[in-house]
């Protein structure tokens, strides 16, 4: 051993960081015909996002828990299971193996979303994050000349949704293949999301899309009332009340007869 040779814990940590592979990432930009704030509010809508994930992305389950520490600042935990066309005994395990939980933070000041994706299986061997920013885009005029004729096209104002997906696999075996597969799946999901949301904005009024939260709350309240009305305890209470009412009526009817005797 050489004298005076000392490696500090800090230098070991820096060396381990240097040995870590850089995360692989991909960026997707999509133009939407709404403002950045309007798109942000669509992301906050539980009912609309459930519709996008179930009907747009083909998820079997999308369950969320939302917390608002301040107005329009959201912490969301969402659990998703994919829909797989497999035999029942195989689909159950496959769905669980491909299920994941998203931990998202929405910032109303920067109009952004930061999400940490945690798969049900393999969470300890990967780091998977998604960052989104919603940026307003001013209307612009493009001039084109064709066969000596000049035409001007005015593009509508809207916003650009910038999605950045980062994945880092901690296991060397099949690392490149796995990371490329994750980014390919992410590209597919972003394309499906964009197609579904753009079509929803085309076919529906924006306010109607946001109103789905209120409709969902009203439906949940009706379901709760129906469930309470059909519960065994409620049925027993109704039966007991009806029996008591019949007994009182019979008693009142029988009393005048007894007095006449």
């Amino acid at each position: 051993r050489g004298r005076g040779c000392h490696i500090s814990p800090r230098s070991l940590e820096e060396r381990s960081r240097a040995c870590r592979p850089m995360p692989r990432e991909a960026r997707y930009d999509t133009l939407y015909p709404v403002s950045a704030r309007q798109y942000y509010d669509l992301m906050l809508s539980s009912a609309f996002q459930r519709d996008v994930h179930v009907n747009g992305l083909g998820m079997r389950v999308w369950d969320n828990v939302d917390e608002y520490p301040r107005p329009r600042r959201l912490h969301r935990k969402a659990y998703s299971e994919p829909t797989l066309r497999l035999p029942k005994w195989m689909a159950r395990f496959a769905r669980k193996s491909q299920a994941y939980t998203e931990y998202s933070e929405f910032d109303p000041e920067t109009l952004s979303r930061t999400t940490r994706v945690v798969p049900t299986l393999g969470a300890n061997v990967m780091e998977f994050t998604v960052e989104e920013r919603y940026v307003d885009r001013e209307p612009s005029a493009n001039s084109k000349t064709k066969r000596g004729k000049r035409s001007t096209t005015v593009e509508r104002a809207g916003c650009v949704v910038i999605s950045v997906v980062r994945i880092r696999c901690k296991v060397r075996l099949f690392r490149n293949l796995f990371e490329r597969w994750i980014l390919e799946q992410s590209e597919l999901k972003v394309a499906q999301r964009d197609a579904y949301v753009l079509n929803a904005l085309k076919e529906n009024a924006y306010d109607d899309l946001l109103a789905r939260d209120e409709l969902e709350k009203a439906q949940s309240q009706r379901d709760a009332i129906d469930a309470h009305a059909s519960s065994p305890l409620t049925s027993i209470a109704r039966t007991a009340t009806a029996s008591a009412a019949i007994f009182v009526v019979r008693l009142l009817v029988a009393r005048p007869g007894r007095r006449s005797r």
Side-chain angles (χ1 to χ4, degrees):
R1 296 181 182 178
R3 294 182 179 179
C5 181
H6 174 71
I7 301 177
S8 65
R10 182 176 180 181
S11 62
L12 288 174
E13 183 179 355
E14 292 176 351
R15 183 179 298 180
S16 63
R17 288 180 180 177
C19 294
R20 292 179 186 176
M22 294 296 292
R24 195 183 297 265
E25 70 176 47
R27 169 173 166 163
Y28 313 98
D29 295 3
T30 307
L31 177 63
Y32 278 88
V34 294
S35 68
R37 185 167 294 275
Q38 286 177 319
Y39 188 88
Y40 179 87
D41 289 339
L42 280 180
M43 292 296 296
L44 298 185
S45 170
S46 294
F48 183 69
Q49 289 304 313
R50 183 173 294 103
D51 178 40
V52 171
H53 283 79
V54 173
N55 298 313
L57 303 182
M59 305 304 292
R60 178 177 174 272
V61 174
W62 191 81
D63 292 331
N64 65 303
V65 177
D66 290 353
E67 295 181 1
Y68 285 90
R70 294 204 301 272
R72 303 182 72 251
R73 179 179 293 274
L74 171 64
H75 295 168
R76 170 175 288 164
K77 177 182 177 182
Y79 173 78
S80 299
E81 277 187 20
T83 299
L84 301 175
R85 296 180 179 178
L86 297 171
K88 289 184 178 180
W89 64 271
M90 186 184 299
R92 183 175 182 181
F93 172 78
R95 279 197 302 265
K96 294 294 183 180
S97 65
Q98 295 190 31
Y100 57 88
T101 303
E102 294 180 342
Y103 299 87
S104 300
E105 294 188 6
F106 294 82
D107 187 347
E109 297 178 1
T110 59
L111 297 179
S112 62
R113 169 176 73 100
T114 303
T115 299
R116 180 170 58 94
V117 183
V118 180
T120 302
L121 296 180
N124 59 328
V125 298
M126 73 175 73
E127 294 176 358
F128 189 1
T129 60
V130 180
E131 295 180 2
E132 283 190 347
R133 291 186 294 115
Y134 318 128
V135 183
D136 282 316
R137 179 179 182 275
E138 298 298 329
S140 60
N142 294 330
S143 298
K144 297 181 181 180
T145 302
K146 185 176 183 181
R147 296 180 181 180
K149 296 182 179 181
R150 191 174 186 82
S151 61
T152 302
T153 303
V154 178
E155 296 183 355
R156 293 179 55 187
C159 76
V160 178
V161 177
I162 303 171
S163 306
V164 179
V165 180
R166 294 186 178 91
I167 177 68
R168 185 176 76 87
C169 182
K170 302 177 183 178
V171 181
R172 292 184 179 182
L173 185 64
F174 304 124
R175 174 186 296 158
N176 292 333
L177 291 175
F178 178 76
E179 291 179 348
R180 281 199 295 266
W181 180 78
I182 289 292
L183 293 184
E184 289 173 358
Q185 293 299 309
S186 299
E187 182 178 8
L188 175 62
K189 293 300 181 182
V190 169
Q192 291 176 340
R193 177 204 67 185
D194 291 342
Y196 192 83
V197 176
L198 287 171
N199 184 69
L201 290 170
K202 181 180 178 181
E203 300 293 333
N204 303 272
Y206 175 81
D207 292 339
D208 291 342
L209 296 179
L210 285 185
R212 293 183 181 182
D213 278 327
E214 297 301 325
L215 295 175
E216 190 176 80
K217 289 179 182 178
Q219 184 62 46
S220 298
Q221 291 175 354
R222 286 195 295 268
D223 293 342
I225 293 173
D226 293 342
H228 177 72
S230 60
S231 65
L233 292 178
T234 304
S235 300
I236 293 172
R238 286 181 175 177
T239 303
T241 303
S243 300
I246 293 172
F247 175 78
V248 171
V249 170
R250 288 180 176 176
L251 184 62
L252 293 175
V253 171
R255 281 181 177 177
R258 290 180 179 177
R259 289 179 182 177
S260 62
R261 291 178 184 176

